[in-house]
Amino acid sequence: MASAITTLAADAPTLSAANTGFMLICSALVMLMTPGLAFFYGGMVRVKSSLNMLMMSFISLGIVTILWVLYGFSLAFGTDKGSLIGWSSDYLGLSGIGITELWDGYTIPVYVFAVFQLMFAIITPALISGALADRVKFSAWALFITLWVTIVYFPVAHWVWGTGGWLFELGVIDFAGGTAVHINAGAAALGVILVIGKRVGFKKDPMRPHSLPLVMLGAGLLWFGWFGFNAGSWLGNDDGVGAVMFVNTQVATAAAMLAWLGYEKLRHGSFTTLGAASGAVAGLVAITPSGGSCSPLGAIAIGAIAGVVCAMAVGLKYKFGFDDSLDVVGVHMVGGVIGSLLVGLFATGGVQSDAAGLFYGGGLDQLGKQAIGVFSVLAYSLVASAGLAFLLDKTMGMRVTEDDEVSGIDQVEHAETAYDFSGAGGGASSRSTSSVPVAAASKKVDA
């Protein structure tokens, strides 16, 4: 996220229609990422859980939007209080903001900055949901989102991006959310699954994606929306930094996809669609914190490293026995860690700031700052999220019953199924198959 710019009254910025329009478009692109994530996750689960996965993302659009307007924007981006949290009464309900009032040091209105940041706040808890597939009560999930964004996301966003936030002041570089979004969500996912436990049949039953086309559609929407997520985080187009970030986003994503597929072919003998989609997302995650500080060649290296390391990391759940259903830890937490730390190696000192990494003569200083940011956010989110899950589990219960999980969480929690086969057959078009035995016909429908 861009740093605040100190200006004299005489040269204070004025509202830019071009930058304002650009940021509104970027905000819409980031909003599209949450439905894209819903499709990505929804296709990766078994058919009996697909609607639940869609809803776990969509409900974040509702809950977080209201909380952001009521108090979230104030906590994240209000006047700093002790380097840990923000607070500005004018931001409560977004009621004390003039329609042409500019975000400090920039040429876009406060309203535009607020809505752009809202979309980040929405997708971050939605990312967590992929680790909890098949087994969490929808009501418990909705309450978890409410508590989590209040206690974890809003403060961490202030640490990383808010003027006065302790990581911001330390000089940690996080262009668009490697720590505040991806490490935050990935560590939270790990904390929750350590509390609620594994799915029924984990490591025993096949739990293959029910619709790889949906996965690919979701990955494509995420890739598309990520240009707004990343390039928009510079909050304007006046100096070319956003354009560099746009290019690096494409480059790193392509490199990560190819690297994941190459690793997959060597390790397992096949190029899979799931691998292509997952590799692309790993690259998007890794370039998010780093793309504003590196060159396109650096972006290739960052993407390739993330593609291989994340592909290796997703198998750790089987080794260590934690059930990260859709690889949120392996892709988002690990990818966020990689991208954030590699700033300390690949930052050129000539894009978003003059901070240079080890490979560009900057020594280990920036790497040390990045490590502090990475592990402080990881530790806080992991512990706080596990604590919230434990509290909810002991009060209202986080999980559906074992019978409900086996029969299908879609029917239990939403009274619906993703695909309705009740209308299969019938009418004139079915006369040629009317002599097929009932048992055989049933097998066709079940398949």
Side-chain angles (χ1 to χ4, degrees):
M1 205 63 62
S3 312
I5 301 170
T6 303
T7 57
L8 300 174
D11 60 358
T14 57
L15 191 149
S16 165
N19 285 341
T20 297
F22 170 73
M23 289 306 302
L24 288 173
I25 292 170
C26 286
S27 300
L29 286 171
V30 182
M31 181 272 166
L32 182 66
M33 292 172 67
T34 298
L37 181 72
F39 283 122
F40 182 68
Y41 282 168
M44 287 176 71
V45 296
R46 291 169 289 180
V47 67
K48 64 182 181 180
S49 305
S50 54
L51 291 181
N52 182 251
M53 284 312 310
L54 293 170
M55 283 292 288
M56 289 177 84
S57 288
F58 268 80
I59 195 63
S60 188
L61 282 161
I63 293 172
V64 180
T65 297
I66 301 304
L67 297 182
W68 188 253
V69 170
L70 293 178
Y71 60 82
F73 183 58
S74 180
L75 290 177
F77 291 100
T79 302
D80 177 66
K81 306 295 180 183
S83 298
L84 295 175
I85 199 68
W87 185 258
S88 294
S89 58
D90 285 348
Y91 293 165
L92 295 178
L94 304 184
S95 57
I97 303 170
I99 61 172
T100 58
E101 180 182 344
L102 299 182
W103 185 242
D104 189 28
Y106 294 94
T107 60
I108 61 172
V110 175
Y111 273 116
V112 174
F113 178 76
V115 78
F116 180 68
Q117 282 292 330
L118 164 62
M119 302 311 173
F120 282 66
I122 287 169
I123 197 171
T124 305
L127 291 171
I128 302 169
S129 67
L132 316 178
D134 299 332
R135 59 201 190 274
V136 174
K137 293 179 182 176
F138 190 68
S139 55
W141 171 245
L143 183 54
F144 177 83
I145 288 178
T146 301
L147 297 173
W148 189 83
V149 294
T150 302
I151 295 170
V152 180
Y153 182 80
F154 298 156
V156 169
H158 182 75
W159 298 356
V160 175
W161 292 321
T163 302
W166 74 278
L167 293 177
F168 180 90
E169 298 300 329
L170 179 64
V172 175
I173 293 175
D174 185 355
F175 194 95
T179 53
V181 176
H182 297 290
I183 294 173
N184 202 3
L190 181 59
V192 175
I193 58 183
L194 290 177
V195 171
I196 67 170
K198 309 173 185 67
R199 288 169 290 177
V200 176
F202 176 64
K203 294 204 290 188
K204 297 178 183 177
D205 300 337
M207 298 180 179
R208 291 184 289 270
H210 90 279
S211 177
L212 287 168
L214 276 186
V215 174
M216 296 297 279
L217 171 64
L221 289 172
L222 284 169
W223 194 333
F224 177 67
W226 224 291
F227 291 115
F229 192 88
N230 281 357
S233 289
W234 198 240
L235 307 183
N237 280 315
D238 297 324
D239 57 7
V241 175
V244 173
M245 185 56 166
F246 193 109
V247 171
N248 286 343
T249 298
Q250 177 69 16
V251 168
T253 306
M257 179 180 67
L258 295 176
W260 187 302
L261 287 172
Y263 173 84
E264 192 175 56
K265 177 65 174 178
L266 290 173
R267 183 70 188 271
H268 305 294
S270 302
F271 302 114
T272 69
T273 51
L274 183 59
S278 299
V281 173
L284 291 164
V285 170
I287 204 61
T288 291
S290 57
S293 58
C294 69
S295 69
L297 288 177
I300 292 175
I302 290 168
I305 293 168
V308 173
V309 176
C310 290
M312 296 169 64
V314 297
L316 294 178
K317 62 185 178 183
Y318 300 111
K319 181 176 180 180
F320 294 110
F322 61 90
D323 185 8
D324 175 17
S325 309
L326 308 182
D327 303 321
V328 179
V329 177
V331 173
H332 291 277
M333 191 182 83
V334 173
V337 169
I338 291 168
S340 297
L341 291 179
L342 289 181
V343 170
L345 302 181
F346 289 101
T348 66
V351 190
Q352 73 176 91
S353 73
D354 59 4
L358 179 64
F359 296 162
Y360 289 84
L364 295 173
D365 182 60
Q366 191 61 43
L367 181 61
K369 293 176 180 179
Q370 296 302 118
I372 292 171
V374 163
F375 294 110
S376 60
V377 171
L378 192 158
Y380 177 68
S381 183
L382 176 67
V383 173
S385 303
L388 288 174
F390 181 82
L391 176 66
L392 291 176
D393 196 45
K394 295 301 180 184
T395 52
M396 65 186 299
M398 281 283 284
R399 294 188 63 145
V400 298
T401 66
E402 183 173 328
D403 287 344
D404 288 343
E405 182 180 333
V406 171
S407 63
I409 197 170
D410 284 357
Q411 275 284 13
V412 171
E413 291 291 301
H414 308 291
E416 297 171 308
T417 56
Y419 306 101
D420 184 1
F421 297 110
S422 63
S429 62
S430 68
R431 282 188 291 180
S432 62
T433 61
S434 60
S435 60
V436 176
V438 172
S442 297
K443 287 181 181 177
K444 276 183 77 176
V445 173
D446 289 342

